[in-house]
């Protein structure tokens, strides 16, 4: 996914919320391509955020699903691993983030 001028690919969970959205936009402004994630019912705000990121000249994709549910995180992990090399991750969930931490051992959590 990473484009030529990109500093890398960042994953932002909870991206449809105010804080997650702001973080995703800031990462895009700093030349990161951004994978945005949130619950499936937040698809409309995620689509709007994806358009904003792409309007900044960055690449973006949506992966819907609650990452603290193991089966959802495994699906997210497979999708990321199949398509991108992740360089940064932002967990914007206040719930248990253990599934995220397990996967993110080699990725900078910010």
């Amino acid at each position: 996914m990473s484009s030529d001028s990109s500093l890398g690919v960042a994953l932002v969970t909870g991206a449809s919320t105010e804080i997650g959205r702001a973080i995703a936009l800031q990462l895009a402004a700093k030349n990161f391509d951004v994978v945005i994630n949130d619950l499936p019912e937040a698809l409309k705000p995620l689509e709007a955020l994806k358009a904003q990121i792409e309007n900044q000249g960055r690449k973006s994709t949506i992966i819907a699903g609650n990452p603290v549910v193991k089966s959802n995180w495994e699906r997210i992990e497979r999708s990321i691993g199949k398509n991108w090399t992740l360089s940064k991750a932002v967990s914007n969930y206040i719930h248990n983030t253990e599934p995220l931490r397990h996967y993110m051992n080699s990725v900078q959590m910010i």
Side-chain angles (χ1 to χ4, degrees), residues 13-109:
T13 63
S16 73
T17 64
E18 292 176 17
I19 293 172
R21 182 179 174 281
I23 292 169
L25 290 170
Q26 186 65 29
L27 286 164
K30 292 183 181 267
N31 290 329
F32 283 91
D33 294 324
V34 187
V35 176
I36 51 178
N37 164 262
D38 213 315
L39 302 175
E41 54 267 24
L43 192 55
K44 196 165 203 130
L46 288 175
E47 289 170 345
L49 176 58
K50 180 180 186 287
Q52 286 185 286
I53 292 168
E54 290 173 344
N55 285 339
Q56 290 186 32
R58 305 296 352 135
K59 293 182 180 177
S60 183
T61 194
I62 297 168
I63 303 177
N66 184 343
V68 300
V69 175
K70 185 177 180 182
S71 61
N72 286 338
W73 182 253
E74 289 169 348
R75 183 178 53 79
I76 293 166
E77 183 179 27
R78 280 191 307 273
S79 182
I80 290 171
K82 182 177 179 181
N83 298 300
W84 308 285
T85 301
L86 200 60
S87 54
K88 302 227 182 264
V90 178
S91 177
N92 192 35
Y93 282 97
I94 53 176
H95 305 291
N96 175 20
T97 59
E98 192 56 37
L100 298 173
R101 293 187 189 285
H102 171 74
Y103 175 69
M104 297 300 169
N105 286 337
S106 63
V107 176
Q108 181 183 4
M109 294 284 286

